[in-house]
Amino acid sequence: MKPPTEGNILNWRWGYAIVFCKFTLLVFDGGIAKSFGVLLHEMVVRLNSSYAIVGFICSLPSTLTYLAGPLVSLLLERMNDRLVAGGGAILSATCLLICAFSTNVVLLGVCLALTGKGDYRR
């Protein structure tokens, strides 16, 4: 990689810091995602549920991310990006409030998936 010209010489080192931080985050993030097999029995016991329901809840964030992609792309073509981001923030906040008062495990999983808090692939 060739060093940048003197016009932006102060900013080129930040690229390495950003790449290092992202790498570190993804290492921990991947570890959390891969540890679900170890934690599966404990989640079934604590949630007083079955393996099928816990597996369904764990698969919801990835599923909803892929299903929402075309819808968000369509909204971004027709609307302002700030409105779409604001709508996502309102949806996320509403789902977090529902999670606080939810007693149903499946509703809790769906709301957490809609907030994006359970998506460990990113």
Side-chain angles (χ1 to χ4, degrees):
M1 183 167 129
K2 185 177 165 185
T5 60
E6 65 182 75
N8 60 7
I9 193 80
L10 299 175
N11 293 330
W12 75 277
R13 289 189 180 102
W14 283 107
Y16 293 113
I18 291 169
V19 168
F20 175 74
C21 291
K22 184 66 175 180
F23 171 77
T24 306
L25 177 76
L26 288 176
V27 166
F28 287 118
D29 200 31
I32 291 170
K34 301 302 179 195
S35 68
F36 273 124
V38 176
L39 300 173
L40 189 61
H41 178 71
E42 184 68 25
M43 289 192 303
V44 167
V45 170
R46 287 195 183 230
L47 294 174
N48 195 19
S49 157
S50 68
Y51 285 99
I53 291 176
V54 172
F56 173 69
I57 290 170
C58 291
S59 69
L60 275 177
S62 299
T63 304
L64 289 177
T65 299
Y66 290 130
L67 289 177
L71 175 66
V72 172
S73 176
L74 180 70
L75 289 175
L76 283 172
E77 288 178 2
R78 298 178 188 266
M79 297 171 60
N80 187 1
D81 55 347
R82 292 182 184 189
L83 290 174
V84 175
I90 291 170
L91 175 68
S92 180
T94 304
C95 288
L96 280 175
L97 285 173
I98 292 171
C99 285
F101 300 107
S102 174
T103 57
N104 187 353
V105 175
V106 176
L107 179 65
L108 178 72
V110 170
C111 287
L112 281 177
L114 286 173
T115 61
K117 300 298 179 198
D119 192 5
Y120 293 113
R121 294 176 305 95
R122 289 187 254 154

